[in-house]
Amino acid sequence: MAENSMQTREGIRAVLETFRHTPKAHVQSFGCQLNFCDGEKYKGILQDLGYELTETPEEADVILYNACAVRAHAESRVIGRLGALKPIYDKNPRLIVGLCGCMAEEQEVRALLKKSYPFVKLILGAGAMERLPESLLAVYRGEKHRESLEFAGLPDETLPTVRTSSFQASVPVMYGCNNFCTYCIVPYVRGRERSRTPEAVEQEVRGLIEQGYREILLLGQNVNSYGRGLQTEIGFPELLRRLDAIPGDYFIRFMSSHPKDATPELIDTMLHSQHIEHHLHLPVQCGSNRVLKEMNRNYTSEKYLELIDYTRGIAPDFGFSSDIIVGFPTETEADFQDTMRMIEYVRYDNLYTFIYSPRSGTKAAEMPFVSSQEEISDRMRRLLARQREISEAFNRRFIGKTVRFLAEKFDPDTKLLLGKTREGLVLEAPGSEQDVGKLLHVTVTDAKNWALTGEQQPLI
Ligand code: SAH
Ligand code: SF4
């Protein structure tokens, strides 16, 4: 350990020893999977420094909100929640409240907190995780406001992690984004693309599988550009093949895939694998070529559909899900109809739908709206209604089939297990608490728009 980080740890330890109780820390993450994954590292660092983790903010000595900047609405909710911590701070002025993650990278957010929420003394940008100990110490030593904003490098491979689950684990393969879709704030708050080495990823995944993890979720803003810029360049399909060769019983999932970089090689790799899900999250955002161009997505709807056709030509049941933005500033009803045609053609099994949210500093934030908010809400309503029917019809194709299923939760009232199949579909099946965390064989007996229902098959 570097000399100064040793000194920092000792400095914090000395402060914590003056407490008359066990020092406690509360970390709450909001937003995407990558944020939750970062949150597990913040927890690891705090635990390593001597804090006990707590789910109760009222009893914490450090509270970190690790928040997402992608949409304005979620951001205002976090500001509201930060505001609600003020009475806790008033009772315990030694409490350190911090904001970290993408949201902390925004200049406007930092200015607002400094002015109106001075009890939020710690600001830690996405990718400045390593700076948490020294920032805490600075605040303990009297600094009123400490900002650390760095996102150029990769997080230290040796950072401790407190994993939330004992059978599902997220593993980032790359950070940042180079795409600058015109609506999106991510490249501004997460910096440029950089990939972890395949050796580092493989070592982590192997370790998790050896510990008994059953689902590995590989994360990146655009996993299909994984490997660019590494000393030995390697593509994402090649990384997947290396991981798939690790012995064990587990699923590999990944997100997100930018359609401009998703290839038939990726699909072939998935279909020929032992462990990779037979499902691809391929966010199309919109079905109109004009809007796609204005979004700077770098593909057309025809190009997008080529990959869908290629896949379904080989594997007709292969599932796709997508993100859709409704109400991009220049979106007209005709553009929206193109999106409706897209969902009709692809028959997504699931859609993550978002009303466009202007983010300051992005190109689209300068574009005037051509539709009213009422028209936009009405489009969203129509999209969701049609998608419910499509999901149900698609899901029904599995009735009678036997699938692999990872049981994630058990509800003692209904005695039902809830989890996901290798095809990425939500499934419910009768079971018991002991089944949680296991990969089971289930025969699908029914299907609704949001889930399949199944019966467990005895192990042969
Ligand atoms: N890198 C991923 C997405 C990260 S953000 C990808 O490109 O697929 C997750 C989703 O949030 C995006 O796919 C998009 O649908 C949505 N999103 C991003 N910026 C948005 C904005 N300004 N308003 C509404 N939705 C947005
Ligand atoms: Fe945002 Fe586009 Fe990058 Fe996804 S690919 S993070 S939507 S800029």
Side-chain angles (χ1 to χ4, degrees):
M1 191 178 293
E3 174 111 21
N4 62 350
S5 65
M6 283 286 281
Q7 282 169 358
T8 308
R9 266 165 82 103
E10 276 159 25
I12 292 181
R13 286 259 161 87
V15 175
L16 299 188
E17 270 162 23
T18 67
F19 287 17
R20 289 213 198 97
H21 58 274
T22 313
K24 292 194 175 164
H26 174 74
V27 178
Q28 176 101 49
S29 296
F30 305 85
C32 71
Q33 303 275 5
L34 197 57
N35 250 20
F36 279 86
C37 191
D38 289 349
E40 293 182 337
K41 296 211 170 74
Y42 286 116
K43 286 183 184 172
I45 298 170
L46 287 163
Q47 200 176 57
D48 202 45
L49 288 171
Y51 295 89
E52 192 175 281
L53 298 171
T54 173
E55 293 301 315
T56 316
E58 287 77 9
E59 62 175 32
D61 301 286
V62 172
I63 299 178
L64 287 188
Y65 279 179
N66 175 32
C68 167
V70 169
R71 281 168 292 274
H73 179 64
E75 238 177 48
S76 6
R77 285 206 345 247
V78 171
I79 298 276
R81 292 183 64 147
L82 278 172
L85 296 177
K86 176 78 166 54
I88 309 180
Y89 173 79
D90 288 341
K91 273 197 220 138
N92 172 19
R94 274 178 113 172
L95 169 69
I96 298 184
V97 177
L99 176 72
C100 47
C102 300
M103 193 171 153
E105 292 289 347
E106 285 179 276
Q107 159 73 47
E108 286 168 19
V109 168
R110 294 200 303 274
L112 172 75
L113 292 179
K114 206 166 176 183
K115 182 162 163 271
S116 309
Y117 300 77
F119 65 95
V120 182
K121 293 187 182 158
L122 201 83
I123 303 283
L124 218 56
M129 276 179 275
E130 289 92 334
R131 310 281 295 275
L132 176 57
E134 65 185 70
S135 309
L136 274 174
L137 188 59
V139 176
Y140 279 133
R141 289 188 171 156
E143 252 182 65
K144 294 217 163 2
H145 189 84
R146 176 72 172 219
E147 289 185 6
S148 306
L149 306 168
E150 262 172 39
F151 55 52
L154 287 163
D156 179 349
E157 289 289 346
T158 62
L159 280 183
T161 296
V162 172
R163 300 231 175 236
T164 315
S165 163
S166 58
F167 57 90
Q168 290 176 303
S170 299
V171 174
V173 299
M174 59 177 299
Y175 294 86
C177 181
N178 288 356
N179 292 312
F180 289 93
C181 302
T182 56
Y183 51 80
C184 185
I185 199 167
V186 170
Y188 303 92
V189 293
R190 288 250 174 205
R192 294 299 74 73
E193 279 174 11
R194 58 248 182 233
S195 297
R196 292 174 71 195
T197 63
E199 291 75 22
V201 175
E202 192 178 331
Q203 193 187 355
E204 184 174 354
V205 172
R206 191 178 289 277
L208 289 163
I209 292 167
E210 282 167 5
Q211 286 169 54
Y213 277 84
R214 296 288 180 217
E215 180 183 286
I216 308 294
L217 175 64
L218 306 175
L219 294 174
Q221 293 300 343
N222 174 13
V223 288
N224 293 309
S225 56
Y226 171 79
R228 287 183 202 158
L230 283 178
Q231 237 168 20
T232 319
E233 288 216 356
I234 161 171
F236 187 60
E238 174 62 22
L239 177 73
L240 284 178
R241 289 192 286 269
R242 277 173 72 161
L243 300 179
D244 188 53
I246 301 173
D249 195 16
Y250 60 92
F251 285 161
I252 296 181
R253 304 189 194 279
F254 57 88
M255 65 191 301
S256 273
S257 279
H258 195 302
K260 79 178 165 61
D261 299 311
T263 56
E265 185 195 356
L266 175 72
I267 302 289
D268 293 345
T269 302
M270 296 170 84
L271 288 173
H272 293 135
S273 72
Q274 291 283 318
H275 307 282
I276 305 168
E277 63 178 339
H278 283 174
H279 169 269
L280 183 61
H281 183 61
L282 195 64
V284 70
Q285 312 297 354
C286 175
S288 149
N289 283 340
R290 189 185 59 79
V291 173
L292 284 172
K293 192 145 198 255
E294 287 175 352
M295 287 177 160
N296 191 33
R297 290 291 287 178
N298 283 304
Y299 54 84
T300 59
S301 57
E302 292 78 13
K303 183 91 190 67
Y304 180 92
L305 292 177
E306 266 175 31
L307 193 71
I308 307 281
D309 288 342
Y310 173 83
T311 313
R312 294 261 168 87
I314 323 172
D317 284 343
F318 195 96
F320 289 93
S321 58
S322 184
D323 295 349
I324 302 258
I325 297 180
V326 177
F328 185 78
T330 63
E331 180 189 86
T332 62
E333 177 61 24
D335 296 318
F336 175 69
Q337 286 307 323
D338 289 341
T339 301
M340 289 299 271
R341 271 191 286 278
M342 177 65 86
I343 70 158
E344 228 36 86
Y345 186 89
V346 180
R347 290 168 293 129
Y348 293 107
D349 50 52
N350 199 4
L351 279 188
Y352 300 86
T353 53
F354 308 103
I355 296 254
Y356 166 75
S357 167
R359 306 309 289 129
S360 119
T362 61
K363 255 189 167 171
E366 311 295 316
M367 301 178 188
F369 279 92
V370 301
S371 302
S372 69
Q373 290 307 307
E374 291 72 47
E375 285 168 320
I376 292 172
S377 310
D378 184 54
R379 281 177 204 157
M380 179 60 104
R381 194 187 48 69
R382 284 182 278 152
L383 179 71
L384 292 176
R386 183 64 192 121
Q387 181 57 39
R388 270 195 288 274
E389 296 167 351
I390 293 174
S391 297
E392 179 161 342
F394 184 81
N395 287 351
R396 293 193 70 80
R397 299 185 335 155
F398 286 92
I399 294 176
K401 293 191 179 162
T402 298
V403 292
R404 289 303 312 271
F405 156 74
L406 174 63
E408 296 173 12
K409 279 185 208 152
F410 175 69
D411 181 338
D413 297 329
T414 59
K415 305 269 184 282
L416 286 175
L417 294 163
L418 189 75
K420 263 189 255 89
T421 69
R422 184 170 178 192
E423 294 76 15
L425 298 171
V426 175
L427 185 142
E428 275 186 337
S432 67
E433 187 72 55
Q434 286 74 39
D435 294 325
V436 172
K438 289 190 185 153
L439 277 169
L440 306 168
H441 290 269
V442 170
T443 300
V444 180
T445 51
D446 200 2
K448 299 185 247 0
N449 67 62
W450 65 277
L452 308 175
T453 322
E455 290 291 339
Q456 277 193 56
Q457 292 303 304
L459 287 178
I460 312 148

